[in-house]
Amino acid sequence: MTLGFFRNLTKPKPTPVVEREYCVAGRTLPLKIVENDRARRLTLRIDSGGKGLRITVPPGLRRGEVEKFLDRHQDWLEQRLAKVPARPQVRPGIKIPVRGVPHRIVHEPSKRGTVTISSDERGPLLIVHGDRVHLPRRIADFLKREAKREIEKLVGKHTLALGKRAKAIRFKDTSSRWGSCTSDGNLSFSWRIMMAPSPVINYLVAHEVAHLKEMNHGPKFWKLCEQLCPDTERCKAWLKRNGGALQAIAFE
């Protein structure tokens, strides 16, 4: 296969992203090779949850250089991927956290396709109705609804305290970040955060709302974040330590 953007730069400008698969540590992962005009060297990143790999390359780099770069970093990749939890597939019988509390998934196909929270003598349950094939999607949809309901409320609370308004609130399934804030006031959140404990959810919202006033991670930003969420340091550490496991859960 010929990778267009590795050809001579005198030819027509090609697509800046090439996608392929790469086998490492017993896994076959999607690999994105992204050309960046500002890049001066190759950089390699593992997506959150070990979902894929991304290499950023300078303009006009030959394909062979990418292959050599991957070969040189084979050991590094294997060591890092060995620390990434295996991707548990959402299915009946396993437990997934809701607001930090593990819930065992129970499938009850006889009823209509809804998701409800319950409990029995063994602990909290996530009861999913409808066809088995739709179970992972229904749980994902449930988490999205919970995220919209809770996060919109928290955004309102923190923007009121800050004296700023959010232009829009969006929910995504992002692999590289938990939230974002644009310069024009659009907030985005990963709905997967609903699997984290409630204080961590609150921290994430406070973090992004703080960016409405401070579009950086300087001392003023962190001071503001602490004002909105006094538990910032502990929650930030929790998300750094456990976020990969939440990103690894497969809802496909």
Side-chain angles (χ1 to χ4, degrees):
M1 179 179 70
T2 302
L3 302 184
F5 67 78
F6 294 123
R7 297 174 186 165
N8 192 297
L9 294 180
T10 61
K11 294 186 178 182
K13 189 175 181 179
T15 305
V17 178
V18 170
E19 298 187 17
R20 49 174 275 204
E21 291 184 337
Y22 184 71
C23 296
V24 59
R27 313 184 193 195
T28 300
L29 300 175
L31 167 65
K32 283 187 179 182
I33 306 171
V34 183
E35 185 178 275
N36 188 316
D37 291 340
R38 294 175 294 178
R40 295 293 176 264
R41 59 188 178 86
L42 290 85
T43 57
L44 173 61
R45 188 182 74 195
I46 301 173
D47 291 338
S48 295
K51 292 180 180 179
L53 309 174
R54 178 188 177 99
I55 296 180
T56 302
V57 304
L61 193 77
R62 295 179 180 276
R63 177 182 176 182
E65 294 302 314
V66 173
E67 302 303 326
K68 292 177 183 177
F69 181 76
L70 284 168
D71 287 344
R72 289 198 303 271
H73 290 81
Q74 185 85 7
D75 290 344
W76 181 86
L77 281 170
E78 290 179 355
Q79 291 171 11
R80 295 304 186 277
L81 288 170
K83 298 177 182 178
V84 175
R87 297 199 70 198
Q89 176 68 48
V90 170
R91 64 185 186 277
I94 75 163
K95 291 183 178 181
I96 66 167
V98 179
R99 293 179 177 84
V101 179
H103 285 64
R104 182 166 53 87
I105 298 173
V106 175
H107 181 219
E108 293 186 357
S110 60
K111 300 180 181 179
R112 298 190 64 179
T114 59
V115 177
T116 57
I117 286 182
S118 184
S119 63
D120 63 10
E121 65 280 0
R122 290 179 290 177
L125 305 175
L126 202 58
I127 301 175
V128 187
H129 308 298
D131 294 339
R132 167 67 178 83
V133 68
H134 302 306
L135 182 144
R137 177 179 58 79
R138 288 206 167 100
I139 294 178
D141 289 343
F142 167 79
L143 292 173
K144 292 173 189 177
R145 290 192 299 271
E146 291 294 296
K148 178 177 173 61
R149 181 169 62 88
E150 182 155 339
I151 288 177
E152 286 183 350
K153 186 188 302 182
L154 288 169
V155 168
K157 169 188 170 183
H158 290 308
T159 52
L160 181 63
L162 192 65
K164 291 280 189 177
R165 292 185 62 184
K167 183 178 179 181
I169 306 171
R170 300 187 176 96
F171 299 93
K172 303 177 180 180
D173 188 11
T174 53
S175 60
S176 59
R177 58 175 62 185
W178 286 100
S180 64
C181 174
T182 65
S183 58
D184 56 353
N186 291 317
L187 302 178
S188 294
F189 299 93
S190 169
W191 51 262
R192 288 174 179 262
I193 196 63
M194 292 312 298
M195 293 186 284
S198 293
V200 177
I201 300 170
N202 179 59
Y203 155 70
L204 176 66
V205 176
H207 182 115
E208 299 308 333
V209 167
H211 279 311
L212 293 171
K213 191 170 184 178
E214 295 288 340
M215 286 295 293
N216 55 68
H217 286 105
K220 289 183 179 179
F221 166 81
W222 288 114
K223 182 178 179 180
L224 185 58
C225 202
E226 291 274 2
Q227 290 172 358
L228 295 174
C229 174
D231 215 11
T232 284
E233 285 302 319
R234 187 172 69 90
C235 292
K236 181 172 67 169
W238 189 98
L239 197 55
K240 183 177 181 180
R241 186 171 62 250
N242 299 285
L246 300 185
Q247 293 284 9
I249 297 174
F251 289 89
E252 296 86 359

